[in-house]
Amino acid sequence: MGGDVKPELTLRQDATMTRMKLVMIGNGMAGVRTLEELLRIAPDHYDITVFGAEPHPNYNRIMLSPVLAGEQTLDEIILNPLSWYAQHGITLHLGKTVTQIDRIHRTVTATDGTTAAYDRLLIATGSQPFVLPVPGADLDGVISYRDIADTQTMIETARTHRHAVVIGGGLLGLEAANGLALRGMSVTVVHLGEWLLNRQLDPTAGALLADSLRQRGLDFALGAQTAALLGDDTGRVRAVRLKDGRELPADLVVMAAGIVPHTALAEQAGLLCNRGIVVNDTLQTVTDARIYAVGECAAHRGVAYGLVAPLFEQAKVCATHLAEFGIGRYLGSQTHTKLKVTGIHLFSAGDFMGGQGTEEILLSDPAGGLYKKLVLKGDRLVGVCLYGDTADGPWYFDLLREGRPLGALRDRLMFGESACSQPRNEQPQPEPQLEAA
C-alpha cells in the first residue's frame, strides 16, 4: 500500500517542477485580466511573476477621476488586493520598473537588480502621457494625469494653490478639470480642437457639453495652442502662454493631451514596434513567439486600443494561447465610446461625423439637454452620436456593427429600441421635431 503512495507523490512533485515560468511586465488592468483568464482555464500551468512600476496592486485606472473628485477613495478602486496575488501563488514585485529584457537567456531585470527567468513573457506596460515639447514643461507644478501619484499630487496642490490649467479637452482632461474645480480651484481647459471631445463628439454635441461645463464654473480656450509654460523665481510654473499671446495664470498645469504606447523596453529588446508592440492575432509579438503583449502598448493590425473592452477581448484570447490551448483569434474590435462627463451622458460610434454619401437624422433639444444624431448610408446605420440620453446607445451600436438593413425601422429609428419593437399600428405619435440633413 505504501508503495502505491510514493509514485503518486513523485508524479505530483515532477508536475510542479516542470511548471513553466511566466513573467508579466506591468500590473495594470489588461495584464491582470489576462492572468485572471489564464488562472481560470489553466491554474497550474505556470509559476507567475509580476513586476509593477507603481507601489500599488492592480487598480481601476478609470476610477481615478472619482477619487480626484472626492467621490471615492483609493482603497475603493483596488481591483486585486495583495491577498489575491498570494492566493494564486504569484510572486509580486511592486515599485520595480523592468529596465532590460534578455531574449537570449530569457530573463528580465528591474532597476534594483531583481531578475526573473521566463519561458513565456507577457508585456503589459500600457501607455504614457504625451508631454508637449514646449519650453517650461519641466517646471515644478507641471504634471500629467495617469496614475495614483498624479491624482494625489493634484489633491495636495488644490489645498494650497488657486489657479489650474488643463491642457487637453479630451475625456481625461475634462475629468481632471472637473475634479480640480470641485476641490476649489479656478480651472481653464486649453484645447487644440475647435470643440471638446472632438474625437468622440460632433461640433453640436461638443458645444452643448462646453456650455454645460461653463455653467459649472469651467473656462475654455478652444482652438488654442500652448506656446510655453512660464515659471517664477522658485522654478514653479506661474502661467501658460498661448500661441496667440494670451497668458493664463497657473499654479498647476495638467498635461492631458493624449497618450503614446509605452514601447521603449520592447524596442530596446529588439521587438518590432510601430504605433505599439506589433502583435499577431494570438497576441504574440511578431518578433519573438515566446513574448506576448496586450493592452495599450500592443499594436494589432496597425491599431493600438485605449478602451477597456478591446483590451479585455485581447486578454481572453491571449490567455488561451498562454495556456497552450491553441484556440482563439483576436481579429480587432469595433468600438464605441460611452462616457459620463460630470454627470452628462455621451455615446458615439462609427462614422458619426457623416459627410458625402450619407444622410443625417437629427433630434435637437438644447434646452432639455438632449441631442441625437444618426448617420445613415443607404439602408444601414453607420454612425451615432448621443448627448444627454444614451439609453439606446448599445442597441444602435448592435445595428451598426451587424450592418443590418433598416427597412421598416428607418422611420422610427430615432425613437429607440422600444419604439422599434412595437407593431407599427401601436406606435404613439412622436412629438419631437426631426430634421433630415
Side-chain angles (χ1 to χ4, degrees):
M1 200 170 182
D4 292 336
V5 174
K6 286 181 182 176
E8 183 182 351
L9 288 174
T10 303
L11 284 170
R12 286 181 179 172
Q13 288 169 353
D14 287 347
T16 303
M17 289 171 63
T18 56
R19 271 189 184 184
M20 292 199 297
K21 294 180 175 66
L22 172 64
V23 172
M24 183 169 82
I25 305 172
N27 191 34
M29 294 171 70
V32 176
R33 173 58 72 94
T34 307
L35 294 187
E36 289 175 337
E37 295 284 352
L38 176 62
L39 290 166
R40 183 176 61 82
I41 60 177
D44 300 316
H45 202 62
Y46 290 99
D47 287 326
I48 301 172
T49 301
V50 174
F51 287 85
E54 293 185 69
H56 310 283
N58 178 41
Y59 63 89
N60 189 340
R61 199 177 298 276
I62 298 167
M63 300 307 289
L64 286 173
S65 299
V67 172
L68 177 61
E71 298 165 357
Q72 285 196 283
T73 66
L74 290 175
D75 286 342
E76 288 172 337
I77 69 170
I78 297 295
L79 293 173
N80 299 79
L82 294 176
S83 57
W84 178 83
Y85 298 86
Q87 176 189 343
H88 293 286
I90 297 171
T91 301
L92 179 61
H93 297 292
L94 290 179
K96 295 185 180 181
T97 302
V98 173
T99 55
Q100 183 184 25
I101 298 170
D102 183 338
R103 289 170 49 208
I104 296 174
H105 299 98
R106 299 207 298 276
T107 61
V108 303
T109 305
T111 42
D112 67 344
T114 302
T115 300
Y118 68 84
D119 296 298
R120 297 289 183 271
L121 177 65
L122 176 58
I123 302 176
T125 47
S127 60
Q128 57 193 1
F130 173 70
V131 177
L132 292 178
V134 295
D138 57 349
L139 286 168
D140 221 12
V142 180
I143 66 169
S144 53
Y145 183 22
R146 191 65 190 152
D147 56 27
I148 285 177
D150 297 329
T151 306
Q152 290 173 323
T153 297
M154 285 191 271
I155 292 170
E156 291 299 318
T157 304
R159 289 180 180 143
T160 54
H161 294 77
R162 166 122 181 95
H163 296 285
V165 170
V166 176
I167 300 175
L171 176 62
L172 205 59
L174 295 181
E175 289 182 333
N178 179 62
L180 291 169
L182 288 174
R183 290 186 177 272
M185 296 194 83
S186 173
V187 186
T188 301
V189 177
V190 176
H191 187 48
L192 189 60
E194 296 297 326
W195 66 90
L196 297 179
L197 291 178
N198 52 291
R199 292 186 177 181
Q200 292 87 14
L201 300 177
D202 71 359
T204 303
L208 286 170
L209 179 61
D211 288 343
S212 177
L213 295 179
R214 283 191 188 98
Q215 292 170 19
R216 300 176 191 210
L218 296 181
D219 287 327
F220 298 97
L222 298 175
Q225 189 171 347
T226 304
L229 309 181
L230 310 178
D232 60 19
D233 294 339
T234 69
R236 185 177 185 88
V237 69
R238 66 170 179 82
V240 174
R241 178 180 290 157
L242 302 180
K243 196 172 182 180
D244 62 12
R246 281 182 290 169
E247 287 189 11
L248 308 174
D251 309 304
L252 173 70
V253 174
V254 180
M255 295 265 192
I259 57 174
V260 291
H262 205 310
T263 60
L265 182 65
E267 289 174 20
Q268 181 187 320
L271 300 177
L272 178 64
C273 296
N274 182 12
R275 299 180 183 174
I277 305 168
V278 180
V279 296
N280 59 24
D281 291 353
T282 60
L283 284 308
Q284 288 168 295
T285 63
V286 296
T287 314
D288 190 330
R290 296 177 185 271
I291 302 178
Y292 295 72
V294 294
E296 292 176 332
C297 67
H300 175 264
R301 300 190 183 187
V303 179
Y305 294 91
L307 299 172
V308 171
L311 308 190
F312 284 0
E313 291 171 9
Q314 291 179 2
K316 195 163 189 174
V317 172
C318 185
T320 66
H321 292 280
L322 284 171
E324 298 187 293
F325 288 175
I327 57 173
R329 291 290 183 275
Y330 178 69
L331 304 177
S333 298
Q334 268 195 302
T335 61
H336 67 269
T337 303
K338 187 174 184 178
L339 308 173
K340 186 179 180 183
V341 180
T342 67
I344 302 163
H345 293 271
L346 313 166
F347 182 96
S348 64
D351 179 18
F352 59 85
M353 291 297 290
Q356 189 172 5
T358 65
E359 177 187 357
E360 299 171 5
I361 305 176
L362 305 175
L363 183 152
S364 184
D365 180 10
L370 289 176
Y371 173 72
K372 290 186 176 185
K373 175 183 180 181
L374 303 179
V375 181
L376 281 62
K377 191 167 187 178
D379 195 34
R380 287 173 170 78
L381 181 67
V382 295
V384 55
C385 180
L386 309 177
Y387 177 97
D389 179 5
T390 61
D392 285 308
W395 180 69
Y396 286 131
F397 181 64
D398 285 343
L399 286 177
L400 184 153
R401 183 178 53 189
E402 294 165 11
R404 275 193 284 160
L406 297 174
L409 295 182
R410 184 187 179 96
D411 293 343
R412 296 172 278 166
L413 195 61
M414 178 57 72
F415 306 103
E417 183 178 15
S418 60
C420 291
S421 62
Q422 297 178 36
R424 191 175 183 85
N425 58 5
E426 293 180 15
Q427 290 298 305
Q429 293 304 309
E431 294 295 333
Q433 297 297 308
L434 293 184
E435 173 189 344

